[in-house]
Amino acid sequence: MATPQDLDRADPYRDESGRTLADYPRPSVAVDTAVLTVAAGRLRVLLVRGSDNSQGLPGTFLHPGERLAEASLRALRDKAQVVGLAPRQLMVFDDPGRDSRGWVLSVAHLDAVRADLIPLTDHSTLVPVDECPELRYDHTAIITHASATLRDAYRRLPDPWHLLEPGDGGVTIRDLRLLHEQVLGERLVADTFRRAMLPGLRRTGRVRRGTRGKPAELYRITGR
């Protein structure tokens, strides 16, 4: 198997015009990550404040020999002091004019976690996604797309991103409905919601007591 040193010594690839890859202009590659959560009854996104006092998503430029996922985790760690996440690639934002610093592609990532897993610092904050200020580098568009992706998942499944606090006994339909209302930013009809979610739940045979009214049946989310 060829080593990187072997490749460096080999004749460079040339296309039909005789040019090498280095002869073509190339964009820089950035990685920006939208970390979403539910806090204070709203769907929110993690923003960090830079050295110029501007807000934006935790992001960085891709380093030589680095994978995109590694760059995302590095930016979360270094700029937001957040560790232990597993962001997923969302999409590439490639408008040539998206970054005033030059030609920069952004490979946007998304993660959604419980708010207690996001330690806030003097340089980070959680902002409602529907009240986000206009941000540089089309970060506002990234947040809009990330929020839509998350909300689409919650319209179809009970808790695909594990935003509910885990409990030994299970969850109630009401627990799930309140979470969905916060994620979606809208009120939901209880009976319609119950029918939509039941295929993704299994009964535990137990109920939650200690609240007013009839004890609430507890469910496990299928696949957990």
Side-chain angles (χ1 to χ4, degrees):
M1 179 180 295
T3 67
Q5 291 76 18
D6 294 332
L7 295 175
D8 288 339
R9 290 192 294 267
D11 290 336
Y13 161 81
R14 295 182 182 276
D15 65 12
E16 61 276 7
S17 65
R19 289 182 289 184
T20 69
L21 296 180
D23 293 326
Y24 289 92
R26 289 173 290 177
S28 298
V29 178
V31 176
D32 297 298
T33 302
V35 178
L36 303 180
T37 192
V38 169
R42 306 280 298 278
L43 181 63
R44 297 172 183 264
V45 63
L46 175 68
L47 296 183
V48 295
R49 193 174 300 280
S51 57
D52 61 356
N53 213 37
S54 65
Q55 284 187 312
L57 295 172
T60 187
F61 285 102
L62 188 67
H63 288 181
E66 187 177 44
R67 294 180 180 272
L68 294 165
E70 294 168 346
S72 174
L73 294 175
R74 175 170 56 80
L76 289 171
R77 181 190 67 238
D78 294 349
K79 297 190 175 182
Q81 284 73 62
V82 174
V83 297
L85 303 190
R88 310 175 191 178
Q89 283 190 35
L90 184 63
M91 66 174 289
V92 176
F93 286 75
D94 63 353
D95 185 338
R98 63 173 297 277
D99 194 320
S100 59
R101 297 168 296 182
W103 186 17
V104 181
L105 306 180
S106 175
V107 183
H109 286 63
L110 164 65
D111 205 351
V113 296
R114 300 195 320 270
D116 61 288
L117 299 177
I118 306 174
L120 296 180
T121 71
D122 292 340
H123 303 289
S124 61
T125 186
L126 293 172
V127 176
V129 298
D130 296 324
E131 296 178 8
C132 237
E134 191 64 32
L135 304 172
R136 295 187 300 175
Y137 315 138
D138 66 14
H139 284 190
T140 306
I142 294 174
I143 293 168
T144 297
H145 189 75
S147 303
T149 299
L150 184 78
R151 285 169 165 165
D152 180 64
Y154 274 85
R155 291 187 188 280
R156 296 179 286 107
L157 299 168
D159 188 17
W161 289 82
H162 299 196
L163 292 178
L164 269 183
E165 183 77 28
D168 293 335
V171 300
T172 68
I173 296 290
R174 184 176 184 274
D175 292 335
L176 286 170
R177 179 168 54 81
L178 293 178
L179 172 66
H180 280 238
E181 289 180 342
Q182 293 169 345
V183 170
L184 300 176
E186 61 187 62
R187 295 294 297 272
L188 299 172
V189 178
D191 289 343
T192 302
F193 176 79
R194 178 186 179 87
R195 288 194 297 271
M197 291 297 114
L198 278 178
L201 303 173
R202 56 183 175 85
R203 288 182 165 85
T204 66
R206 291 175 288 178
V207 297
R208 178 181 296 166
R209 302 185 184 277
T211 58
R212 290 182 297 177
K214 182 180 177 181
E217 188 173 2
L218 290 167
Y219 296 84
R220 293 289 185 191
I221 297 173
T222 302
R224 294 192 193 174

